[in-house]
């Protein structure tokens, strides 16, 4: 199984975004924008020889239980990725860890394995894993289940968009692992269905994104409820003052591990498509999709309404598409993503929020049917193409001046 170690966004410039009221953040409604010069959407991919990372450890060097070693083999993970290589020994020594690594680096297993090992070693161990989006929480849940096969953990996923009743039932059965998004975790705490006082392993994934999304208060109040004696894992693609102050408040002499990043967009050809009016825009998209160049594309548009409109229009034109946005139920989002992953459809229309954390390996094109609100979103969008060291393409629709 080939695996390209890459980390995104570390070192990428960050644009400041105002703090919005929480309720708005969950939707893909309009946000304050930034003018982005269209020239920033044009670049030639630099096809570099992948620098081969030689890990210091093999998985068998780590003090991981035989069950975990077996699960790693079953998953086809042969060698630790850089973040795993460096973060796992520190975590297994019981220290708090700050992992600076983006999606696609293997960061999930970097915290999942030490957490699982702790669950095996101590029957008092309990873990709470917090992620900014439902999709990411779901991916973590899947990875934990794969890597933790045979480990008694009774894990529960608590995210929005799915019925709360089932979650209540699962929470009553005393789970040792809770994975969720900040809003829903807070809901359960408020209802008294989740008490965190005995949770002594705390993972915050994509901390920077979580704080950008305005979850700071939720995250803080969740952390305040966890056990006083705990081990914490902070994973973030970037480090800024907000992330730092959260870690200072809740970390206990954490050890930092940073994965050197090449620029997020280095292996993505970037170009613009000029259009004058709405019908020309649609025809250009149609031409592009039938050009034979696009094998699998994610098309970004701005609002839930526009995403649905575009999805219907493309379906009517005979394309195989699915749509994903915050207005859909979790089940619908999951099914849409699965058909895209399994190539039942080759076009996914999405809003920014819904696309966060999506890990689909073979996307040939990212099409920005609308210009992203802020440059950071652009970088995030185009990072969906060109994964696993392949060259990807990003095309941004830009309205002709005048
Ligand atoms: P993540 O950054 O955790 O989302 O992982 C990115 C992708 O790499 C996922 O598809 C993982 O299944 C895969 N992966 C993680 N660690 C390894 C490894 N050591 N060897 C091979 N694949 C891996």
């Amino acid at each position: 199984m080939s695996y390209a170690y890459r980390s995104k966004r570390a070192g990428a410039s960050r644009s400041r975004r105002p703090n919005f009221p929480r309720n708005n953040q969950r939707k893909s409604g309009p946000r304050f924008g930034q003018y982005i010069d269209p020239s920033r959407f044009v670049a030639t991919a630099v096809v570099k020889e992948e620098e081969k990372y030689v890990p210091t450890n093999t998985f068998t060097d780590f003090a991981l239980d035989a069950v975990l070693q077996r699960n790693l083999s079953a998953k086809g993970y042969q060698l630790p990725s850089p973040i795993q290589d460096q973060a796992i020994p520190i975590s297994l020594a019981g220290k708090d860890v700050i992992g600076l690594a983006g999606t696609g680096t293997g960061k999930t297993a970097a915290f999942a394995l030490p957490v699982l090992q702790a669950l095996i070693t101590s029957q008092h161990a309990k873990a709470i894993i917090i992620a900014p989006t439902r999709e990411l929480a779901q991916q973590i849940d899947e990875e934990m289940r794969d890597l933790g096969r045979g480990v008694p953990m009774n894990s529960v996923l608590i995210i929005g968009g799915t019925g709360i009743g089932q979650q209540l039932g699962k929470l009553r059965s005393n789970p040792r692992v809770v994975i969720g998004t900040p809003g829903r975790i807070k809901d359960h705490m408020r209802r008294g269905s989740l008490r965190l006082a005995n949770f002594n392993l705390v993972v915050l994934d994509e901390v920077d994104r979580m704080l950008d999304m305005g979850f700071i208060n939720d995250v803080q109040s969740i952390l305040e409820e966890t056990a006083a004696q705990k081990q914490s894992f902070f994973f973030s693609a970037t480090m800024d003052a907000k992330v730092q102050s959260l870690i200072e408040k809740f970390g206990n002499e954490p050890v930092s591990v940073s994965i050197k990043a090449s620029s997020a967009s280095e292996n993505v050809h970037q170009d613009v498509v000029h259009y004058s009016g709405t019908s020309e825009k649609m025809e250009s998209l149609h031409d592009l999709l039938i050009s034979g160049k696009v094998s699998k594309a994610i098309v970004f548009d701005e609002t839930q309404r526009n995403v649905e409109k575009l999805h219907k229009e493309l379906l009517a034109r005979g394309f195989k598409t699915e749509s994903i946005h915050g207005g859909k139920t979790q089940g619908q989002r999951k099914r849409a993503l699965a058909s895209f992953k399994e190539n039942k459809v080759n076009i996914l229309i999405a809003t920014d929020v819904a696309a966060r954390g999506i890990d689909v390996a073979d996307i040939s094109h990212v099409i920005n049917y609308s210009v992203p609100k802020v440059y950071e979103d652009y970088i995030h969008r185009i990072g969906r193409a060109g994964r696993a060291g392949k060259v990807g393409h990003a095309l941004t629709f830009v309205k002709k001046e005048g």
Side-chain angles (χ1 to χ4, degrees):
M1 186 181 193
S2 78
Y3 178 69
Y5 306 126
R6 45 192 292 270
S7 110
K8 309 194 307 115
R9 295 179 57 224
S13 67
R14 295 176 65 70
S15 40
R16 292 259 152 254
R17 214 183 276 174
N19 269 340
F20 324 100
R22 257 272 314 287
N23 285 344
N24 289 347
Q25 282 151 17
R26 301 232 190 119
K27 304 194 175 87
S28 53
R31 290 186 290 147
F32 298 98
Q34 146 193 93
Y35 171 74
I36 309 168
D37 193 310
S39 66
R40 296 180 82 186
F41 302 138
V42 182
T44 307
V46 184
V47 186
K48 282 202 312 190
E49 277 285 302
E50 277 282 324
E51 252 177 64
K52 205 155 167 58
Y53 177 82
V54 184
T56 324
N57 304 287
T58 61
F59 282 119
T60 45
D61 291 334
F62 298 138
L64 293 172
D65 193 272
V67 174
L68 302 181
Q69 299 286 2
R70 254 201 316 275
N71 294 341
L72 277 165
S73 305
K75 205 110 171 91
Y77 293 2
Q78 285 162 3
L79 283 171
S81 73
I83 188 72
Q84 293 162 4
D85 191 33
Q86 294 168 47
I88 292 175
I90 298 165
S91 317
L92 289 176
K95 297 203 168 72
D96 281 11
V97 176
I98 303 171
L100 284 169
T103 46
T105 56
K107 67 183 165 66
T108 318
F111 61 73
L113 289 166
V115 163
L116 289 163
Q117 182 58 40
L119 294 172
I120 294 171
T121 312
S122 158
Q123 57 181 19
H124 300 298
K126 280 181 151 200
I128 171 120
I129 303 175
I130 314 167
T133 64
R134 300 164 184 180
E135 273 73 21
L136 186 59
Q138 223 149 18
Q139 282 173 23
I140 296 170
D141 182 47
E142 281 160 22
E143 184 93 346
M144 281 287 286
R145 281 174 199 280
D146 286 351
L147 293 175
R149 188 147 296 148
V151 180
M153 57 178 163
N154 191 16
S155 102
V156 49
L157 179 66
I158 53 174
I159 54 178
T162 54
I164 205 153
Q166 215 189 2
Q167 293 171 11
L168 288 170
K170 285 193 181 152
L171 284 171
R172 270 195 293 273
S173 66
N174 198 21
R176 298 181 72 207
V177 175
V178 172
I179 302 163
T181 44
R184 190 49 78 93
I185 293 174
K186 249 336 265 304
D187 277 358
H188 280 289
M189 287 165 62
R190 235 178 270 126
R191 284 164 179 263
S193 43
L194 176 61
R195 278 180 213 89
L196 291 174
N198 297 327
F199 281 72
N200 51 9
L201 296 158
V202 179
V203 180
L204 294 189
D205 198 10
E206 302 204 353
V207 187
D208 51 352
R209 196 148 286 283
M210 207 132 58
L211 301 190
D212 272 355
M213 288 168 80
F215 284 128
I216 179 83
N217 292 335
D218 284 350
V219 169
Q220 295 215 37
S221 54
I222 294 168
L223 292 185
E224 273 156 15
E225 295 295 313
T226 55
Q229 285 287 329
K230 58 177 166 268
Q231 185 181 13
S232 306
F233 304 76
F234 304 94
F235 279 80
S236 192
T238 53
M239 179 59 76
D240 64 13
K242 274 192 293 182
V243 176
Q244 210 153 2
S245 85
L246 185 86
I247 295 176
E248 268 163 26
K249 192 160 174 201
F250 293 100
N252 176 22
E253 297 179 12
V255 180
S256 258
V257 172
S258 172
I259 296 312
K260 244 181 94 192
S262 55
S263 161
S265 41
E266 241 170 25
N267 55 342
V268 180
H269 276 298
Q270 300 163 61
D271 210 347
V272 292
V273 178
H274 287 289
Y275 69 93
S276 303
T278 320
S279 67
E280 189 190 340
K281 190 180 182 188
M282 188 63 229
E283 292 317 316
S284 301
L285 177 63
H286 187 126
D287 290 346
L288 177 66
L289 294 175
I290 59 169
S291 66
K293 292 179 192 149
V294 180
S295 57
K296 192 162 184 172
I298 182 157
V299 182
F300 284 98
D301 209 348
E302 207 166 68
T303 60
Q304 297 178 6
R305 224 176 109 233
N306 287 355
V307 163
E308 266 318 294
K309 212 167 113 194
L310 187 56
H311 170 51
K312 291 209 175 94
E313 176 69 35
L314 290 176
L315 277 181
R317 286 169 182 250
F319 292 103
K320 288 186 178 158
T321 79
E322 270 296 352
S323 66
I324 183 163
H325 53 71
K328 295 204 152 190
T329 65
Q330 197 51 34
Q332 288 171 326
R333 282 161 73 157
K334 201 174 168 182
R335 279 193 294 281
L337 193 57
S339 346
F340 186 57
K341 272 193 177 166
E342 292 158 15
N343 291 318
K344 289 182 186 145
V345 300
N346 67 333
I347 302 164
L348 183 71
I349 329 271
T351 54
D352 286 292
V353 171
R356 277 187 184 140
I358 286 178
D359 175 30
V360 179
D362 50 352
I363 296 173
S364 66
H365 285 69
V366 167
I367 299 170
N368 296 309
Y369 199 59
S370 60
V371 172
K373 282 264 187 275
V374 291
Y375 191 65
E376 191 193 341
D377 283 348
Y378 175 74
I379 291 295
H380 196 75
R381 287 181 182 186
I382 71 170
R384 308 294 106 199
R387 285 174 89 77
K390 287 183 202 145
V391 171
H393 297 264
L395 291 166
T396 304
F397 280 67
V398 174
K399 196 162 189 203
K400 276 185 205 147
E401 297 285 329

